[in-house]
Amino acid sequence: MKVIVGMATFKGREKACDTALKSLSKQVDTIYLYDNEKNEDLADNGKFYGLELIDGPCIYLSCDDDLLYPPNYVEVMVKAIETHKCIVSQHGRILTGLDVDYYSGHKSFRCLDEVRAWQLIDVCGTGVTGFSTEYFNPKLWDAQDKKMSDLVFSLEARKQDKRITLLPHSKGWITHLPIDHSKSIAVTERRNKRQIEIANEIYTLRHG
């Protein structure tokens, strides 16, 4: 089965994006890069635009333009998808309750830090997520909610009763590339209450 990467980028990320792409290019069959400066601004949802272009089943890895991926990243992800037979991710959250601050109130696991064991999670980090399109094939690139693709993706997975598994990894296996962090989604969207609303919906669907 082909392995395809979907990534979104925007102005100011050119150098980091080029490095991220080079770290993945020899590991996959195809990379779909959605440039928000040259096309309709889909923000981070653009990383899923490639799902509209595929012509058959594939392993789809959603990636970010500010991460450096290790040489065995794709091998590890594909093996995990085949083993766990679900959506897999190297980053995510277990939601702890309703109306909780999205960034600080839930149990979080970072792709940049050590994760010791696999476990089911509620919200994945879509910069380090993968799945077989035979298992999950969401139509998210034109979602109304933007700059919160982790939540949009995970809500759709919950609606379809699809599992998301967090994978173990060592600290430093994935690293951050130098960018202007003042413009990152984690900073600009930190007070966006819509994130809490979507997290509430995911939590409610899970717990009834």
Side-chain angles (χ1 to χ4, degrees):
M1 192 179 292
K2 287 185 177 180
V3 181
I4 293 175
V5 159
M7 183 183 294
T9 193
F10 58 93
K11 187 176 181 180
R13 292 283 185 90
E14 292 84 1
K15 186 174 181 179
C17 182
D18 183 61
T19 302
L21 290 172
K22 286 179 179 177
S23 72
L24 291 164
S25 60
K26 293 182 180 180
Q27 301 185 55
V28 299
D29 297 295
T30 304
I31 297 177
Y32 290 119
L33 177 65
Y34 190 90
D35 190 336
N36 284 291
E37 296 300 318
K38 298 178 180 179
N39 302 283
E40 178 187 354
D41 187 3
L42 304 178
D44 51 344
N45 294 336
K47 72 184 77 171
F48 299 111
Y49 187 77
L51 291 169
E52 300 296 308
L53 306 176
I54 60 175
D55 56 3
C58 71
I59 298 294
Y60 196 89
L61 305 178
S62 56
C63 297
D64 280 349
D65 64 353
D66 62 348
L67 293 177
L68 181 65
Y69 296 87
N72 64 336
Y73 178 77
V74 173
E75 178 186 356
V76 169
M77 293 293 282
V78 170
K79 183 177 180 180
I81 291 167
E82 294 172 345
T83 299
H84 294 283
K85 301 186 185 307
C86 66
I87 301 162
V88 301
S89 187
Q90 304 285 349
H91 184 107
R93 285 175 171 79
I94 294 175
L95 302 180
T96 58
L98 297 173
D99 299 324
V100 177
D101 180 87
Y102 178 66
Y103 285 102
S104 63
H106 301 291
K107 188 174 182 180
S108 63
F109 307 88
R110 300 179 73 229
C111 65
L112 306 177
D113 296 330
E114 181 185 31
V115 173
R116 294 185 178 180
W118 75 270
Q119 58 190 302
L120 293 175
I121 55 176
D122 298 309
V123 181
C124 64
T126 53
V128 285
T129 287
F131 52 95
S132 166
T133 57
E134 291 183 320
Y135 179 76
F136 187 52
N137 193 0
K139 306 298 181 184
L140 300 176
W141 63 271
D142 61 348
Q144 188 173 19
D145 289 301
K146 298 178 180 179
K147 297 186 178 181
M148 55 187 79
S149 64
D150 295 0
L151 284 160
V152 170
F153 178 95
S154 300
L155 175 59
E156 184 60 29
R158 177 58 60 184
K159 286 180 176 179
Q160 295 187 30
D161 198 27
K162 303 299 184 181
R163 293 176 294 115
I164 306 173
T165 295
L166 178 75
L167 303 177
H169 57 262
S170 59
K171 182 176 181 178
W173 185 60
I174 297 170
T175 56
H176 228 157
L177 292 166
I179 60 165
D180 181 357
H181 289 283
S182 68
K183 296 181 180 179
S184 68
I185 288 174
V187 173
T188 62
E189 302 301 307
R190 197 168 191 89
R191 298 184 182 277
N192 190 336
K193 293 183 179 180
R194 178 64 180 146
Q195 292 185 336
I196 295 177
E197 293 173 358
I198 299 176
N200 282 349
E201 191 171 352
I202 295 170
Y203 184 87
T204 300
L205 286 170
R206 178 186 174 190
H207 296 277

